[in-house]
Each structure stands twice: as C-alpha cells, then as structure tokens.
Amino acid sequence: MKINLLRGNSGCKIYKVNILHKEFVIKISSRASFNNTLKCQKEKQQTYSKIFKTPKVFISGYLPHNCKYFILMEYICGSKLSDIIFLYNYNYGKKILNNFFNVYITNIKFNFSNNFISNNFIFINKIENVAMKLEKFNFSNNEKLHNK
C-alpha cells in the first residue's frame, strides 16, 4: 500500500492511497467541528454526479479513534475548470461555460431539497468566478494586441 498526501483547499487532510494497483482518495476532516462541512461536501459531490463526472463515494463515516468524518472515494486524475478554460481561446471558453449553465439549468428543476439549493449557490458562484476570470483574460489579451 502506498499513501501520498495531496494538496487541497477544503480544510481536510487528503490522501491518495494505492491498494493493489487501484487508486483511491481518503478525505478526513481536520477536526470534529469540521465534520458537518465535509458531510455537505460529500452530499454536494453526490448531487452533482447526476450532472457531471465526479468521484464515486465508496464509504463514509466516523473514525472510531478520534470521531473525525472521512470519505473514501474514487481517484480521478483531472484538472480544475478554472485551469483548463484558459487553454483555449476566449470564444471556446465562453462556449464551455454556456454548456455548464445549460446542463445546470436543465437539471435544477429535478432537485428541490434545501441542501441542493444551498449547493446551487456554491456552484453558481464558482462558475461566475471562472466567467469573470475568462473576461479579464480576454480583456488582457485584447489590450496586448492593441498595444503592439
């Protein structure tokens, strides 16, 4: 078994574990008071798996020795949307964002729980932040072209 500590921004310890040539991720809350936040992240991930490819959660629960919440899930080697959107030109990046919104709006009418609604605000904020970065990227590139 091989264990690597991964870098994350969720306030959790994140480990990539290789067991018999299969890779998994274990996410453990940093403290017991963070347990509910990690549970919400798991629910959000499971909710959005209906719309996007997200890692499958195999098991979750509490570690018996310290009562911290954990998630054992599939490891998917991928990239963040905010990183890959700038690999393409502005119009293609805008098309990608429009597709995200269209899929999102198509699927939102099937989900009515309060938790899903709060997760929707998180999703919208992330997409809006990427859209703003894309607009700044386009403006910056246009400035460079006009100042040559």
Side-chain angles (χ1 to χ4, degrees), residues 13-17 24-28 70-73:
K13 291 282 187 184
I14 305 172
Y15 301 94
K16 183 170 97 173
V17 181
F24 302 92
V25 170
I26 300 174
K27 220 173 183 184
I28 304 172
F70 76 94
I71 303 170
L72 173 68
M73 64 185 126

Side-chain angles (χ1 to χ4, degrees), residues 48-74:
Y48 288 120
S49 69
K50 299 170 190 159
I51 303 171
F52 306 108
K53 172 105 172 103
T54 62
K56 181 181 177 186
V57 174
F58 296 113
I59 190 170
S60 62
Y62 294 92
L63 296 173
H65 65 285
N66 62 11
C67 296
K68 291 181 182 176
Y69 193 75
F70 76 94
I71 303 170
L72 173 68
M73 64 185 126
E74 171 184 28

Side-chain angles (χ1 to χ4, degrees), residues 77-128:
C77 184
S79 300
K80 295 186 301 183
L81 174 65
S82 59
D83 290 341
I84 63 166
I85 198 130
F86 299 105
L87 297 175
Y88 304 100
N89 67 38
Y90 170 77
N91 289 327
Y92 190 73
K94 205 164 179 173
K95 183 178 177 181
I96 291 171
L97 287 178
N98 284 333
N99 287 341
F100 270 100
F101 274 119
N102 290 336
V103 168
Y104 169 77
I105 288 172
T106 301
N107 286 281
I108 192 171
K109 62 185 173 188
F110 299 109
N111 299 283
F112 296 105
S113 74
N114 287 336
N115 193 36
F116 187 83
I117 290 168
S118 66
N119 288 336
N120 287 329
F121 291 118
I122 293 168
F123 178 77
I124 289 170
N125 286 338
K126 286 185 180 191
I127 294 297
E128 286 177 345

